[in-house]
Amino acid sequence: MNQHDVIRLNMQRFLKTEDSLDTYVEEIEKSVVSELLIEFPECKRLKSDSSLAAALEQIFLQTGKGFIFILDEWECVFRIAKNRKDAQKRYLDFLRSLFKDAEYTELIDKDEYSGNTDIGMGLRYAYELIGQGEERDR
């Protein structure tokens, strides 16, 4: 009990227009890390310029607490950035850096559109859509 904290992100909140695609990932990281600094003041190695993955890892190492992620609208980048494969890849790489082999996460995919409850399957499909499936698996 109380071994995991919940991070709920409405991904579309950070992506208002196609113009914000270039700073989308950085805005997510900055916002969540700033909240983590407030919630975990005892984590002395946690820095405001840490990547989100590094911040979560530090919290896990120092407190033993993991995180459950609820990602709402996780696929919004693919709707808004239909022709921006670079932005799609950057976003997918960000998600993969957070969740692939991470000890600190439990993941719930709240994707009401696809009915798919496995975000890993969704990420693999998204990589295939932008032509990065083979490169990613190397």
Side-chain angles (χ1 to χ4, degrees), residues 2-46:
N2 291 329
Q3 293 181 8
H4 294 84
D5 286 304
V6 176
I7 296 177
R8 182 187 180 279
L9 294 172
N10 181 336
M11 304 306 267
Q12 192 167 355
R13 184 184 112 199
F14 298 96
L15 189 59
K16 308 228 180 333
T17 66
E18 190 172 345
D19 293 337
S20 58
L21 283 168
D22 295 325
T23 58
Y24 180 63
V25 168
E26 292 80 10
E27 289 299 318
I28 294 169
E29 289 194 300
K30 183 178 167 183
S31 176
V32 177
V33 169
S34 67
E35 288 187 37
L36 291 172
L37 284 165
I38 294 166
E39 292 297 319
F40 295 94
E42 71 275 15
C43 294
K44 301 301 180 200
R45 289 184 226 131
L46 186 58

Side-chain angles (χ1 to χ4, degrees), residues 58-133:
Q58 278 302 313
I59 292 168
F60 179 75
L61 291 173
Q62 293 179 50
T63 67
K65 286 194 168 217
F67 297 87
I68 295 173
F69 276 80
I70 301 174
L71 302 178
D72 196 9
E73 296 288 335
W74 77 270
E75 77 291 349
C76 69
V77 168
F78 302 99
R79 288 193 313 269
I80 294 172
K82 292 176 186 165
N83 299 319
R84 294 275 313 269
K85 302 295 185 194
D86 62 319
Q88 293 175 11
K89 184 180 183 312
R90 188 171 54 251
Y91 175 63
L92 289 172
D93 287 344
F94 164 68
L95 291 178
R96 189 165 28 109
S97 76
L98 285 179
F99 305 126
K100 185 171 173 51
D101 302 324
E103 293 181 76
Y104 54 77
T105 61
E106 292 292 328
L107 189 65
I108 297 170
D109 176 13
K110 193 177 173 195
D111 183 357
E112 63 187 334
Y113 299 106
S114 71
N116 178 7
T117 58
D118 179 3
I119 198 168
M121 216 166 116
L123 290 175
R124 283 190 295 277
Y125 176 69
Y127 266 107
E128 289 170 16
L129 283 178
I130 63 169
Q132 300 293 325

